[in-house]
């Protein structure tokens, strides 16, 4: 009489003693032109945010948007870099931050809760974007004016996605892989 464990052992192939175990390593070295284009696109997009913010007398460049642009420029194929995640993740996180401020007021404790809840909101919406969790923290710390902040954030995210599209055309790549 054989047990279930013996049956599983008998049907599972033994690992080959000669086959090396393949471990993931760092990503391949990018081509110099790809580095130049990604760096130039990222810098130009962030400078454009600064210029528009100066004209509008509102800061458009917040740290999470620099991280968002880095994802779009350096890893345009990742789910985190797609418009659904860049725009949707940033806006959902800002809304999460505003909701936490409405319930608990601004502050460090609220910022920590907002950052954590933002992750859950993005996951439920299938719009994961790790830099956006920091946007929830910024909202919960500073409690900016809702409509101004949200509108400018949306416009900034659209600008970053547009920069990614321009970069893709220049390099003959596909971005976005999907929209929504």
């Amino acid at each position: 009489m054989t047990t279930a464990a013996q049956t599983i052992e008998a049907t599972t192939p033994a690992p080959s003693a000669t086959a090396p175990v393949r471990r993931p390593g760092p990503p391949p070295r990018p081509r110099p032109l790809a580095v130049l284009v990604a760096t130039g696109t990222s810098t130009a997009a962030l400078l454009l945010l600064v210029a528009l913010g100066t004209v509008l007398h509102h800061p458009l460049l917040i740290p999470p948007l620099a991280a968002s642009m880095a994802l779009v420029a350096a890893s345009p194929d990742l789910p985190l870099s797609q418009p659904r995640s860049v725009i949707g993740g940033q806006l959902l996180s800002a809304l999460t931050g505003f909701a936490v401020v409405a319930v608990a007021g601004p502050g460090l404790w609220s910022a920590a809760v907002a950052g954590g809840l933002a992750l859950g909101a993005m996951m439920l919406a299938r719009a994961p974007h790790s830099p956006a969790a920091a946007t929830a923290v910024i909202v919960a710390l500073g409690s900016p004016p809702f409509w101004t902040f949200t509108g400018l954030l949306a416009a900034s995210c659209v600008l970053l996605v547009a920069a990614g599209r321009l970069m893709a055309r220049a390099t003959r790549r596909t971005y976005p892989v999907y929209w929504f």
Side-chain angles (χ1 to χ4, degrees), residues 93 97 107 111-112 114-116 132-142:
S93 292
T135 300
V137 170
I138 288 171
V139 168
L141 285 174

Side-chain angles (χ1 to χ4, degrees), residues 92-122 132-141:
L92 273 171
S93 292
L95 293 175
T96 302
F98 283 115
V100 170
V101 167
V103 171
L108 288 173
W109 295 99
S110 295
V113 170
L117 291 178
L119 172 63
M122 289 185 285
T135 300
V137 170
I138 288 171
V139 168
L141 285 174

